[in-house]
């Protein structure tokens, strides 16, 4: 086994992710650890809290050897589309094995359930439950008569195996037991959930705003050239230093020491997403888009566009979601629909993504161990220079490239610090070589 793939989001990177990478390093020391990571938008149906460039760097510092971006059309997809797209990329890159965190490490059970997922009898019962108004996940759980689908990582693991059985039968699997609750909202242990860490960062934002009402800056952003503002500058620097110390203290027990300083700086510099800005975008677009136009976007079906338009008149996006949500339309699905609207992803494009595989693999970061691997030949282009990429791609690949660029631009517009909201950052980025 020369290579092990890890399908991930690192939203954001924390000790649980480092634990998986370090376990693989101990058990398979010779194998390269290659991360297939969501880019600017994640499967939750919203922008990642930090840029893919920062998250890729942290992945390498946390134990990965190579980080490849999963195109947005797949990273935003349902569990099935997300898993299938990622597995087809794993195959295209000739990766030998796949490791994933799961609430069960019983591989035989996972494979047995995955095999049953596409049985005709299971699919017949599944359709019946969906027609009764159940969500896809609830219907599958009932059709398979297993509570394992209640746990998000096990569900993704099943989708990986399911896709592997179809597209990559020789792929090996290495499940690693997950011990923390995926949806836990408080920091209670050294292996926190991404939900808890995102909440912690959002809570830090309240203190940031108390330090500087309009935006957050580190000492490198403050003008100290005139004596007139020297007193104010000294006061601001004192507050920022105190804030940085507080942030680092809160992070140091839940993220690896190798990235704690870097993440602290990113947070204090305001280079992370303000989700209120993003949901205001979705809200605005929902009000200005007609029901006929809404119908063309991904996952809008069964007349939901009429309820969506009506709900969009609510004063907050949270109230909009509460008005639309049902057993059939879960929050996760509604968030994906909002992202499809924001990024202009229509049904026909999603159908093309389902039928085809990722058209390229974009390199985000690598270390010394990964350098040699980059010289291999792959089934799809390995993109290192974003501006030149369209010349290597077919029409679908060029569309994926455009969506990825837009996703990064939209995410940047949502950052707390307005100085950080520059567009087309994809074109200025060079894959990070971390020694």
């Amino acid at each position: 086994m020369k290579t092990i793939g890890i399908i991930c989001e690192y939203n954001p990177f924390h000790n649980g992710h480092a634990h998986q990478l370090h376990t693989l390093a101990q058990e398979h020391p010779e194998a390269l650890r290659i991360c297939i990571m969501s880019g600017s938008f994640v499967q939750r149906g919203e922008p990642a809290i930090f840029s893919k460039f920062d998250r890729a760097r942290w992945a390498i510092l946390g134990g990965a050897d190579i980080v490849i971006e999963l195109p947005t059309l797949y990273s935003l997809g349902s569990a099935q589309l997300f898993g299938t797209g990622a597995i087809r990329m794993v195959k295209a890159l000739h990766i030998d094995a796949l490791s994933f965190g799961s609430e069960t490490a019983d591989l035989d059970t996972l494979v047995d359930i995955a095999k049953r997922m596409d049985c005709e009898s299971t699919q017949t019962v599944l359709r019946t439950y969906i027609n009764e108004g159940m969500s896809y996940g609830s219907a599958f759980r009932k059709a398979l008569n297993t509570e394992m689908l209640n746990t998000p990582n096990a569900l993704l693991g099943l989708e990986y195996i399911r896709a592997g059985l179809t597209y990559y039968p020789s792929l090996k699997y290495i499940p690693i037991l997950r011990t923390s609750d995926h949806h836990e909202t408080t920091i209670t242990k050294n292996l926190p959930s991404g939900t808890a860490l995102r909440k912690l960062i959002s809570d830090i934002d309240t203190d940031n705003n108390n330090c500087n009402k309009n935006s957050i800056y580190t000492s490198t952003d403050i003008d100290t050239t005139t004596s007139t503002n020297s007193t104010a500058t000294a006061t601001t620097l004192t507050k920022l230093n105190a804030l940085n110390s507080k942030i680092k203290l809160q992070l140091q027990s839940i993220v690896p020491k190798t990235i704690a300083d870097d993440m602290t700086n990113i947070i204090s510099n305001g280079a992370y997403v303000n989700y209120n800005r993003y949901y205001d975008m979705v809200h605005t677009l929902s009000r200005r888009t007609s029901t006929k136009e809404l119908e063309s976007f991904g996952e809008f079906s069964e007349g939901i566009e009429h309820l969506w338009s009506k709900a969009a008149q609510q004063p907050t996006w949270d109230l909009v979601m509460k008005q639309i949500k049902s057993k059939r339309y879960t929050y996760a699905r509604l968030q994906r629909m909002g992202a499809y609207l924001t990024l202009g992803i229509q049904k026909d494009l999603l159908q093309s993504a389902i039928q085809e595989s990722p058209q390229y693999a974009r390199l985000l970061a690598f270390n010394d161990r990964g350098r040699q691997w980059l010289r291999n030949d792959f089934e799809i282009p390995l993109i290192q220079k974003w501006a030149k990429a369209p010349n290597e791609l077919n029409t679908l690949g060029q569309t994926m490239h455009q969506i990825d660029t837009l996703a990064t631009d939209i995410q940047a517009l949502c950052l707390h610090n307005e100085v950080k909201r520059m567009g087309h950052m994809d074109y200025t980025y060079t894959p990070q070589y971390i020694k």
Side-chain angles (χ1 to χ4, degrees):
M1 189 188 307
K2 295 181 180 179
T3 50
I4 299 174
I6 302 100
I7 300 167
C8 57
E9 299 198 296
Y10 296 156
N11 186 33
F13 195 91
H14 56 66
N15 284 340
H17 302 128
H19 170 72
Q20 179 189 20
L21 291 167
H22 292 163
T23 299
L24 293 173
Q26 290 176 344
E27 296 180 358
H28 308 279
E30 300 304 318
L32 288 178
R33 296 174 292 280
I34 303 174
C35 293
I36 309 296
M37 188 184 79
S38 296
S40 299
F41 274 64
V42 294
Q43 214 240 335
R44 289 170 52 85
E46 62 188 17
I49 193 166
F50 294 113
S51 80
K52 59 192 176 188
F53 313 124
D54 293 328
R55 286 156 44 230
R57 180 173 65 257
W58 296 337
I60 299 295
L61 293 172
D65 297 308
I66 297 160
V67 182
I68 302 291
E69 178 180 357
L70 180 66
T72 305
L73 283 180
Y74 300 98
S75 71
L76 257 182
S78 64
Q80 184 176 12
L81 179 57
F82 179 93
T84 300
I87 289 298
R88 295 182 79 172
M89 180 177 279
V90 166
K91 180 179 184 298
L93 296 176
H94 305 148
I95 296 171
D96 304 315
L98 180 75
S99 177
F100 56 89
S102 174
E103 287 79 1
T104 176
D106 185 345
L107 182 57
D108 289 339
T109 297
L110 289 169
V111 171
D112 178 66
I113 295 173
K115 288 179 177 178
R116 290 195 286 127
M117 291 173 82
D118 284 318
C119 289
E120 184 176 345
S121 58
T122 300
Q123 289 294 313
T124 299
V125 176
L126 173 67
R127 287 190 292 271
T128 299
Y129 289 138
I130 288 177
N131 290 335
E132 292 176 359
M134 286 188 184
S135 69
Y136 177 83
S138 297
F140 234 142
R141 182 166 59 251
K142 195 166 183 179
L144 290 166
N145 192 27
T146 175
E147 288 302 308
M148 192 174 293
L149 292 175
N150 255 338
T151 55
N153 290 280
L155 173 57
L156 280 174
L158 288 170
E159 290 291 358
Y160 300 152
I161 297 171
R162 179 189 188 187
L165 290 170
T166 300
Y167 296 105
Y168 198 1
S170 63
L171 184 64
K172 299 178 177 64
Y173 302 98
I174 308 171
I176 294 179
L177 186 64
R178 181 189 177 101
T179 58
S180 60
D181 183 351
H182 180 82
H183 293 298
E184 176 61 56
T185 58
T186 58
I187 303 294
T188 57
K189 53 190 75 176
N190 288 333
L191 298 180
S193 70
T195 301
L197 187 46
R198 288 189 297 274
K199 182 177 184 299
L200 172 64
I201 293 166
S202 296
D203 290 344
I204 287 172
D205 175 47
T206 301
D207 292 330
N208 284 343
N209 287 332
N210 289 336
C211 181
N212 188 313
K213 183 68 176 177
N214 298 313
S215 57
I216 304 99
Y217 301 98
T218 60
S219 57
T220 57
D221 297 305
I222 300 171
D223 180 10
T224 60
T225 59
T226 65
S227 58
T228 305
N229 63 9
S230 60
T231 301
T233 297
T235 301
T236 302
L237 283 172
T238 299
K239 288 182 178 180
L240 285 169
N241 288 334
L243 178 60
N244 282 357
S245 296
K246 181 179 180 181
I247 294 171
K248 184 176 179 181
L249 182 63
Q250 291 176 301
L251 292 177
Q252 65 184 6
S253 66
I254 52 180
V255 303
K257 294 180 180 179
T258 52
I259 71 172
D261 285 339
D262 194 0
M263 188 179 289
T264 296
N265 184 59
I266 294 295
I267 294 171
S268 64
N269 211 7
Y272 65 104
V273 167
N274 177 344
Y275 286 99
N276 290 330
R277 286 182 60 84
Y278 171 67
Y279 286 117
D280 280 347
M281 289 184 193
V282 183
H283 204 166
T284 300
L285 286 169
S286 297
R287 284 194 177 182
R288 72 177 298 275
T289 306
S290 70
T291 53
K292 184 172 181 59
E293 291 170 326
L294 284 175
E295 188 181 7
S296 68
F297 291 102
E299 297 208 24
F300 280 84
S301 61
E302 305 165 321
I304 190 67
E305 61 274 8
H306 298 284
L307 178 56
W308 189 283
S309 289
K310 182 179 179 180
Q313 308 314 310
Q314 290 289 338
T316 70
W317 190 248
D318 183 57
L319 290 174
V320 173
M321 290 291 95
K322 287 179 179 177
Q323 185 167 328
I324 305 174
K325 182 179 179 307
S326 64
K327 289 183 179 179
R328 182 69 165 269
Y329 287 87
T330 63
Y331 280 123
R333 182 175 178 181
L334 293 175
Q335 287 186 176
R336 286 199 304 272
M337 291 163 66
Y340 291 149
L341 170 62
T342 304
L343 297 174
I345 297 174
Q346 299 191 326
K347 290 176 181 175
D348 57 348
L349 182 55
L350 275 182
Q351 191 59 39
S352 296
I354 291 169
Q355 294 172 349
E356 304 294 332
S357 60
Q359 299 297 295
Y360 55 83
R362 187 190 184 177
L363 177 66
L364 292 177
F366 61 101
N367 63 13
D368 274 329
R369 276 171 48 90
R371 286 184 83 178
Q372 185 65 36
W373 180 84
L374 301 176
R375 301 173 185 172
N376 291 336
D377 292 326
F378 305 108
E379 296 175 19
I380 53 178
L382 182 65
I383 302 299
Q384 299 192 39
K385 295 184 178 180
W386 196 241
K388 295 182 178 181
N391 298 329
E392 303 180 51
L393 304 174
N394 60 17
T395 301
L396 177 58
Q398 291 171 359
T399 302
M400 289 184 180
H401 181 278
Q402 293 167 1
I403 295 292
D404 285 352
T405 302
L406 178 59
T408 303
D409 288 349
I410 294 295
Q411 183 196 39
L413 269 181
C414 297
L415 298 180
H416 282 270
N417 188 343
E418 63 183 21
V419 175
K420 304 295 183 181
R421 296 175 191 160
M422 292 292 294
H424 277 196
M425 294 304 294
D426 276 306
Y427 291 96
T428 68
Y429 181 78
T430 300
Q432 298 171 84
Y433 169 43
I434 300 172
K435 297 183 179 180

